[in-house]
Structures are given as structure tokens and as C-alpha cells.
Amino acid sequence: MLGDFAVGKTSLVNRFVNNAFSERYLSTVGVKIDTKPVQLPNRQLKLVLWDLAGSEPLNGAAKSYLVGTHGIVLVADGTRPQTLDAAMRIHEHAETLIGARPTVVLINKADLESQWRTTPADLHNARQWALNAWETSALTGAHVEDAFLTLAGAMP
Amino acid sequence: MSAADLPVSAQRYLLAQLTNQRHMLCLHVLNGVGTVVSGDPAHFGFAVADDGSVVTSDLGLGVVDNRHGLQLSHVQLGDGACFDLHQLIEDERRLWVLVDVSDSRDEIRQAQQRSNDARLRLDELSERERLLHAEHQALRESSDQLRRHQHMQAEFVRRLSHEFGTPISAVLGHLNLMDAPGTTVDQAQRSLTAVRRGVAHLRQLVESVLDQARLQNNQFELHPAVTNLAEMIDDFRELYLGSSLQRGIAWRVSLEAHGCTAVLIDELRLRQILLNLIGNAFKFTNQGQVALKVRWHDALLSAEVSDSGPGMSETEQARLFSDYGRSSQSVRGTGLGLSISREIAQRIGGNLRLLESAPGQGSRFLLEVPAPIVHGAPEDQPAELVAQRVLVVDDDDDLRPLLVAILEQLGCSATAVARMDEIALDQNPPPDVAVVDMHLGQLDGSVILQQLRVSWPDCYLLALSADSSQDVLERSRRAGADSFLLKPVEPGALSLALQVAAQRSEGNA
Ligand SMILES: Nc1nc2c(ncn2[C@@H]2O[C@H](COP(=O)(O)OP(=O)(O)O)[C@@H](O)[C@H]2O)c(=O)[nH]1
Ligand SMILES: [Mg+2]
């Protein structure tokens, strides 16, 4: 899980793994690891999700956290467009550290319609290079499963 | 120096000392399965199998990273305690040492959270500033606009007082003159003529200022009525005959109406626009000619007013239709004339534009307004009318058969229905023409017109009504009617309308 802080990485994992959501912001320190078995059409898979503290630039220890990564869930906050730029920078940096990995892009907090600031073009642009992109909500659960299952399907 | 830098034997010794505590865990790891050396794996969130082995693959570190000395700080597995992980490799064997750092994690989290919160608030502030800035910008633009508008209005008032001042002082002067002792009858006659001219000019000024205000306040009303084209054109011919002779300017008037003699239009407003155009043409033209060419075709009245006057540069043309953009050589007038004329033309559902003009080349204006036929007859009996298929929609039980009879006499094949649900929308081919009453009991005819416009895109739609108000005309046009027929329907007008329809469909084919 990569992205700027407070974009909803921890909340997305919590929605996907525990089907739960909390309003309260508890910033992540280091890495929080969760597992979730997923059933794909032709196989069963256990996803191990590394929810990293969103810090930018990725610090020196980052490489240790990133080694072993099979896929990336890149998260931004649709109410703060600058987090989308941050996500792009973080992703680029991660690629220089560990090489290209299958990536899905989540523009999160889609339930906050009145504060929404990113555009359909942002989604479209992300779809040009990533596996796919969605406007998600950890609060309502919208497109959360879609995103994780799509990434799982691209796992070796 | 970290533990990893020590010789393996020293590391072993240290480990043995440390891992006696509950807050440490030491595991031997092989293929994703750990064997406890010391400590409590459940405390750190690991699943423990029945045989006591630990599921280390849950950490996802597995096979990939086997660097000796690898350290991960602040790792939390599920709901377990937060730990730092050290990996030691010796003889292909992997050793993990986990140290509980929950306390330090909580401290770091507090600090980090404070800093994150601060940055979030900062982001929020800059977002608010951005919005404020945009609002400020918009306000500034509208205040600029307001200032420009005020400036133009001041300029307008200044001009108006000048425009009014000239005829008023002329009128007063001549009145004084008439009053003065010793004024001859001849002199008084001349003064009286001048007073009349002055008052007429004042009246025209007042009218155009009032029109301008009415247009702006939406108090402008239109009253379409039956208007005889030839009579109107003759009036214009007469009206300017005097000045054309006096000034040696040729005055050509022509009408080409394809058999249409009367149309439904607000004659007063049409005259007002034409007067303005022709008046300007005469005003600016000193030699050569002024021409008015009126044409009725396909329910559209077009009037072209051309002159051999000084013409206009592109800059002058650009300002032509603005409220205060009087062309510089203007002799008199408030500069409202053209902008009002265009506005009126648009209200009628038409348009007024400058066709062409260039310095020294004269000017050509074109007015186009919808003008449904009321009276007329085709000039020559049109062959194409025969076999036109016409649908009549009218709830009047007397009028329906009458219309059908007229249509059949004209050589068409006609069917008539009284209600919307009697129309067979799926008939193929659809009728060439549909005549639709605008008032079908409760139902507004424009609903039917809209439906037919969609279902039968090529069908010529004739709206029918005894009510010739602008509102009904407007509604029928908006609903997609091609033209409008006034009740009682005159056979000549109907046949001319059908001819237009036939020509139109020939053009489409
Ligand atoms: N309305 C809304 N709030 C969300 C959503 N996802 C996360 N949040 C809130 O955003 C804040 C930060 O979320 P968190 O998951 O900790 O972000 P992280 O730093 O990227 O892990 C928390 O207060 C969450 O409740 C969402 O989809 N909708
Ligand atoms: Mg987090």
C-alpha cells in the first residue's frame, strides 16, 4: 500500500480485510501487515498486505520494506489533488528501488462528493499506465474489492 | 555497531541472554515455517500450528529477502505487538529476532500524528486560500465589468442630453420666433414646419430610449397580425420617394413573394426595423442608390437593405450592433437603433446582420424573420402537390372533413384524426405533411409537434391555430413546426404552404 499519509491506505485494508471502517485517524508507524485469503476463478491465494506509513520521500529504510513486493496498491485522496501527484512521485521512486510491479490506482474518499477535486481525466490518465484505476471509498466500500481482486489476479 | 556486525558466536550469546524475556521472540525459519527458540509467538500476532510451529509466511518476508543483517523496524502483524525484526543467516539457517517496541511506536506515532495533522491543516488552509483567491478574482472581474457598464451608461446619458438638446433648442427657438412681434406668416409657416420636424425627431428619440428600456426589462410585447406584403412595400416606396428625388439618389424597391400575399407578423416591429435600416442607408448615402429587396420563401421573410454609401471599416463593423456603438459619421440618432433592431428581430425569432460592407463600397444588411403565410396562392398550379400525403390532427369535428376536402381538391391524399393516440406513428412511409391544431381540447398541440418531429424527421409540420399571439407562434416553432397556418384556413394559403413543403422535400431528396 503506497501513497501520501491520510489518504486512506489503512482504512482500505481495514475495509477489505475486516469489512470495517473507522472515522478516527490513527497514523501508521512503520508497517502494518495483514493477510486475506482470496478466491480467484481458477485459484486460491493468500494476499499479504503491507500497509506502509505514508511518508514522502521514501526514506532510506524504505527499500527493506519494499523488497519482496509482488504488486502495488497506489492510493490518493480525491479531495486533495496534491496527493495524486505525491502518489506518482512515490510510485516512481518505488520503481527505481525494486523495479516495475503490477499496480492498481485508487483515488479514495469517493463518498465525499462535495469536496471532490480530482477529475475523470485523472482516472483516465492512471488507466493509461496502471492495471486499472478506480474512485474508491473505504467508508462505503465502493470498488475496494474490485481493486484488490484485480491486483490479486495479476499476482504470479 | 549493530548486533549483526558481531561474530556469530557473540550474537548467539547475546541472544541467549535477551530472549529469556517475554518481549522478545527468537525463531529458526525454514520455508515459511518457524521453530521457536524462545519467546511467545502469539504475543507478536503469529499463528501457531498444533505441532508448535509458527506460520512465518504471514509476514510476507518469505523466500525473497535473505540478507544477513536485514532489519525492519516497527512491524505489526495483525493485532499483535509492534516489533523490530532482525534477520541473521548462518549456514543456510535463518534466525529471526523480534523485539517488542510498542512503547516507542506509540511515542513516534504521537509525534508523527501531530506533524501529519499540522500538514493536513496547512493543506486545508491553502485550499481555502485558493478558493478565496478565485472568488476574489471573480469579484474583481464583475466589478470591472460593472465599471465599464457604468462608464458606457454615463457616455450614453451624455450623448442623449446632446441628442435631445439639439431638437429642443430648435423647437424653442422657432416657438420664440413665432411669438416675436413682426413675424410674417411665411416665416411662421416655416417655423411651424421646423417645430414639427423637431418634435417628430424628439418622439423618435423617446421611442427608441423606451424600447431599449422595455427590451432590458422584458416588457417588450409582440403582436403578430395579418400583414399584407405588397401594401407594406408600397408604403416604403412612397415614404422615401420624396427624399430620394430631393437628393438625387435612386430608390429601388422590389418584392418577390412566390404567390404569398399576406403573412402573420408583428407589422409595427417589422416596419420599425426596416425604417431604421432604410433611414440609415439614406442618411449615409450621398449619391448612387438605396435598395430594399423583400422576399418571401419557405415561411421566411427576408429583407435586404443595401446602399452605395461610404461603407464601414472592420472596426466600425465590430461596434455596429453594440448599444452605444454609433458609427462615427452618423448624423443623428442615439446609436440605439441597430442594436434595438437586432434585438427585436431576435425576439420575433429571426435575425439581423450585416451581409457585407467595406470603406467606399456601401453596405448590405439582411433581415430574416419567420413569416407564416395567411393569404396567397401558388403562382402556377404546382404539379408536385399531387400525391402528397397529408395528415390532419384537429379535434374540431367540422373543420376536419373540411380540411380533408380542401386537401383532396388540391390533389393530396389526406387522412384526419382527432386525438394524439389515433396517430399511427409506425406508418411507413410517414406522411409528407402534417397539419396539427395547437389546441386539442386539454392537450397542447406542441406536444404532438414534438413527437412528430422526432418520429418523422422529414415530415413538413404545419401548426394550426386561430390564436396568432407571439406565444403560440413561439411555442409551435420551438416544438419543431416548419410553419404556421392561421384559422380560418384559406385554401390558397394552404396550397402555397403545401407547395413549400413539396419543394422542401424535393430539396431533401
Ligand atoms: N470519508 C472518508 N474518509 C476516509 C476514507 N478513507 C479514509 N478516510 C479517513 O481518512 C483518514 C485517514 O485514513 P487512513 O486510512 O489512516 O489513511 P492512511 O494514512 O493513508 O493510512 C481517517 O480519518 C479515515 O477515517 C473514505 O473512503 N472516505
Ligand atoms: Mg495508514
Side-chain angles (χ1 to χ4, degrees):
Chain A
M1 307 291 303
L2 288 180
D4 209 350
F5 67 86
V7 295
K9 298 181 294 299
T10 305
S11 303
L12 286 163
V13 172
N14 194 23
R15 170 60 69 196
F16 180 57
V17 174
N18 307 314
N19 198 20
F21 177 81
S22 157
E23 290 269 337
R24 201 173 140 235
Y25 175 41
L26 194 64
S27 99
T28 310
V29 176
V31 57
K32 176 145 175 4
I33 300 170
D34 280 286
T35 57
K36 164 102 175 173
V38 294
Q39 181 63 53
L40 293 173
N42 48 359
R43 61 193 163 121
Q44 169 97 29
L45 196 75
K46 186 163 78 179
L47 278 188
V48 181
L49 299 163
W50 279 43
D51 174 21
L52 300 180
S55 66
E56 196 210 353
L58 292 174
N59 54 31
K63 182 154 187 189
S64 305
Y65 289 119
L66 292 175
V67 169
T69 298
H70 290 112
I72 297 174
V73 178
L74 189 63
V75 187
D77 177 347
T79 68
R80 294 183 292 142
Q82 68 271 26
T83 61
L84 194 59
D85 302 330
M88 294 305 155
R89 287 194 299 271
I90 292 171
H91 186 255
E92 205 170 300
H93 188 193
E95 279 199 336
T96 61
L97 290 175
I98 58 166
R101 291 288 184 276
T103 301
V104 288
V105 175
L106 280 65
I107 307 183
N108 191 40
K109 308 197 186 179
D111 53 285
L112 300 174
E113 276 165 47
S114 65
Q115 285 147 265
W116 199 252
R117 291 266 321 278
T118 57
T119 65
D122 291 326
L123 208 59
H124 178 80
N125 289 340
R127 285 183 180 142
Q128 299 305 301
W129 62 267
L131 276 181
N132 206 341
W134 296 264
E135 292 180 351
T136 60
S137 168
L139 189 150
T140 67
H143 292 302
V144 176
E145 286 223 340
D146 293 343
F148 282 102
L149 292 184
T150 298
L151 188 64
M155 293 289 99
Chain B
M1 193 161 84
S2 84
D5 298 324
L6 293 171
V8 174
S9 55
Q11 290 175 14
R12 278 239 170 121
Y13 172 76
L14 279 175
L15 279 177
Q17 298 299 308
L18 290 168
T19 48
N20 290 329
Q21 303 166 35
R22 182 179 172 274
H23 292 319
M24 291 198 67
L25 173 66
C26 187
L27 295 172
H28 266 136
V29 183
L30 195 67
N31 297 330
V33 177
T35 314
V36 177
V37 178
S38 67
D40 174 13
H43 175 72
F44 292 97
F46 284 100
V48 182
D50 289 340
D51 62 357
S53 65
V54 180
V55 188
T56 54
S57 63
D58 278 357
L59 216 50
L61 254 181
V63 229
V64 187
D65 200 327
N66 44 23
R67 280 175 296 160
H68 173 65
L70 170 77
Q71 287 192 33
L72 283 178
S73 45
H74 295 109
V75 181
Q76 186 185 350
L77 179 62
D79 295 325
C82 181
F83 57 86
D84 279 358
L85 182 145
H86 307 264
Q87 176 170 259
L88 310 172
I89 310 276
E90 186 206 348
D91 303 338
E92 307 277 303
R93 291 208 309 171
R94 184 187 305 225
L95 204 63
W96 282 0
V97 181
L98 279 61
V99 183
D100 188 327
V101 290
S102 298
D103 292 348
S104 98
R105 191 265 311 263
D106 292 344
E107 267 169 44
I108 294 174
R109 177 181 321 208
Q110 273 177 21
Q112 183 175 294
Q113 186 126 15
R114 270 197 298 275
S115 122
N116 286 358
D117 280 342
R119 226 191 81 191
L120 283 177
R121 266 201 299 277
L122 206 69
D123 282 357
E124 204 175 303
L125 276 179
S126 67
E127 168 70 6
R128 239 180 260 172
E129 191 191 325
R130 195 189 61 82
L131 288 176
L132 267 177
H133 186 77
E135 232 163 81
H136 178 79
Q137 193 66 22
L139 265 177
R140 210 167 46 204
E141 266 158 35
S142 73
S143 103
D144 279 356
Q145 215 172 358
L146 206 67
R147 208 169 299 133
R148 271 199 303 278
H149 192 74
Q150 273 172 348
H151 176 77
M152 287 208 311
Q153 286 216 320
E155 172 70 1
F156 176 62
V157 169
R158 198 184 58 74
R159 267 200 197 155
L160 266 193
S161 48
H162 176 75
E163 304 270 5
F164 276 94
T166 316
I168 286 175
S169 47
V171 166
L172 285 177
H174 281 288
L175 287 178
N176 285 336
L177 208 60
M178 288 164 76
D179 226 11
T183 302
T184 65
V185 176
D186 231 25
Q187 177 67 51
Q189 271 302 339
R190 273 203 301 277
S191 287
L192 199 60
T193 312
V195 167
R196 263 204 202 101
R197 219 175 24 237
V199 170
H201 183 195
L202 282 171
R203 199 178 125 186
Q204 191 194 330
L205 282 175
V206 169
E207 268 307 315
S208 60
V209 172
L210 285 180
D211 272 348
Q212 163 85 352
R214 285 188 202 115
L215 283 168
Q216 275 179 359
N217 301 326
N218 271 329
Q219 292 170 327
F220 196 81
E221 280 178 21
L222 290 164
H223 302 285
V226 179
T227 302
N228 186 296
L229 286 175
E231 279 173 18
M232 187 179 66
I233 299 304
D234 283 342
D235 276 358
F236 279 113
R237 186 183 288 119
E238 286 294 311
L239 201 58
Y240 284 93
L241 201 58
S243 32
S244 84
L245 289 174
Q246 211 173 25
R247 301 183 44 204
I249 300 169
W251 168 225
R252 298 185 210 289
V253 180
S254 65
L255 170 66
E256 185 192 332
H258 298 283
C260 171
T261 53
V263 294
L264 191 61
I265 201 163
D266 187 329
E267 185 177 1
L268 208 72
R269 294 309 183 179
L270 177 62
R271 277 174 183 262
Q272 185 182 357
I273 300 172
L274 289 177
L275 276 176
N276 182 257
L277 291 176
I278 300 167
N280 276 341
F282 271 103
K283 202 185 300 172
F284 295 126
T285 305
N286 291 319
Q287 57 181 30
Q289 66 154 345
V290 173
L292 167 67
K293 257 199 275 184
V294 176
R295 203 167 161 254
W296 181 90
H297 178 69
D298 207 350
L300 194 75
L301 191 70
S302 54
E304 188 184 308
V305 176
S306 57
D307 65 57
S308 58
M312 280 168 285
S313 69
E314 288 196 0
T315 343
E316 286 170 318
Q317 291 177 30
R319 300 179 50 210
L320 198 58
F321 288 101
S322 70
D323 277 358
Y324 313 93
R326 195 172 45 156
S327 186
S328 53
Q329 305 106 311
S330 150
V331 184
R332 56 163 54 165
T334 53
L336 285 176
L338 271 182
S339 79
I340 291 182
S341 293
R342 168 182 275 188
E343 180 84 36
I344 295 173
Q346 287 168 349
R347 300 275 172 115
I348 300 179
N351 192 16
L352 169 62
R353 62 205 157 95
L354 178 66
L355 273 188
E356 60 181 344
S357 183
Q361 306 287 304
S363 307
R364 215 145 62 86
F365 285 88
L366 179 67
L367 168 72
E368 285 180 313
V369 284
I373 180 169
V374 186
H375 296 297
E379 282 164 332
D380 33 39
Q381 196 51 45
E384 63 264 33
L385 273 194
V386 179
Q388 274 210 108
R389 301 168 61 252
V390 183
L391 170 72
V392 174
V393 187
D394 195 314
D395 62 342
D396 185 324
D397 293 336
D398 296 327
L399 191 60
R400 243 186 352 267
L402 182 65
L403 277 173
V404 170
I406 299 177
L407 285 164
E408 279 172 351
Q409 234 167 38
L410 289 170
C412 302
S413 71
T415 47
V417 298
R419 294 196 322 266
M420 181 156 175
D421 54 12
E422 292 172 24
I423 306 174
L425 285 172
D426 53 0
Q427 58 186 285
N428 198 11
D432 302 303
V433 178
V435 183
V436 179
D437 187 13
M438 287 298 284
H439 309 272
L440 289 156
Q442 298 298 326
L443 187 64
D444 180 354
S446 49
V447 176
I448 298 183
L449 287 169
Q450 266 162 357
Q451 175 65 59
L452 296 186
R453 186 34 80 234
V454 174
S455 305
W456 302 336
D458 294 330
C459 181
Y460 191 89
L461 299 181
L462 265 168
L464 188 64
S465 174
D467 179 357
S468 66
S469 69
Q470 184 66 21
D471 173 55
V472 174
L473 280 176
E474 194 68 38
R475 265 192 296 133
S476 72
R477 251 199 306 274
R478 269 205 301 271
D482 294 289
S483 189
F484 184 93
L485 271 183
L486 193 62
K487 283 185 188 178
V489 176
E490 199 219 38
L494 181 58
S495 105
L496 196 49
L498 290 172
Q499 188 182 13
V500 167
Q503 284 162 355
R504 176 90 65 94
S505 75
E506 240 166 58
N508 284 347

